[in-house]
Amino acid sequence: MQQLIMTRHANRRARQRGMRHVQIEQLFLLSDLASQVDRHLCAFRVSREALREAVADGLPPSEAERLAGRALLLTDSGTVVTLAHLHGGKAQMYRRRDRRPYWKTTRS
């Protein structure tokens, strides 16, 4: 597998959230849910079913627990922009489809 290209911001967030690069690559490989956040950003997440299957295939349950509730935001070119915990009200933005983010309002 090719190594993911990460921005400086993504590296900083990975350190803050305690995620190693191996876990980020696992999150990318196991992700089965994708939602368009912005025109050029897509959030990748792992469903509970995919995590159960990965544990059945040999992934340690502690590793699967670390991947649950995390999102990886990638650009169209495949660069990792940031990592996010999916909790709270702002996390709904990464879960919904066909919703414009609140900072991208159009003016008439």
Side-chain angles (χ1 to χ4, degrees), residues 15-62:
R15 283 193 307 271
Q16 285 178 347
R17 287 159 173 74
M19 288 190 73
R20 299 182 317 250
H21 289 284
V22 174
Q23 293 171 334
I24 295 168
E25 290 176 3
Q26 282 180 342
L27 179 64
F28 180 70
L29 289 174
L30 293 175
S31 63
D32 58 342
L33 301 172
S35 56
Q36 197 74 24
V37 176
D38 197 2
R39 191 165 62 180
H40 299 290
L41 283 178
C42 194
F44 290 93
R45 300 177 288 125
V46 182
S47 67
R48 292 179 187 165
E49 293 176 15
L51 286 176
R52 279 189 223 119
E53 290 176 9
V55 169
D57 289 341
L59 182 71
S62 60

Side-chain angles (χ1 to χ4, degrees), residues 6-16 21 81 83:
M6 295 184 61
T7 62
R8 192 172 17 172
H9 177 79
N11 284 322
R12 187 178 307 137
R13 291 295 176 252
R15 283 193 307 271
Q16 285 178 347
H21 289 284
V81 175
L83 304 161

Side-chain angles (χ1 to χ4, degrees), residues 41-92:
L41 283 178
C42 194
F44 290 93
R45 300 177 288 125
V46 182
S47 67
R48 292 179 187 165
E49 293 176 15
L51 286 176
R52 279 189 223 119
E53 290 176 9
V55 169
D57 289 341
L59 182 71
S62 60
E63 290 290 323
E65 187 177 326
R66 288 186 188 128
L67 297 178
R70 306 275 175 106
L72 191 66
L73 269 72
L74 272 78
T75 61
D76 292 339
S77 62
T79 304
V80 179
V81 175
T82 191
L83 304 161
H85 284 291
L86 296 180
H87 66 280
K90 194 164 183 167
Q92 292 176 2

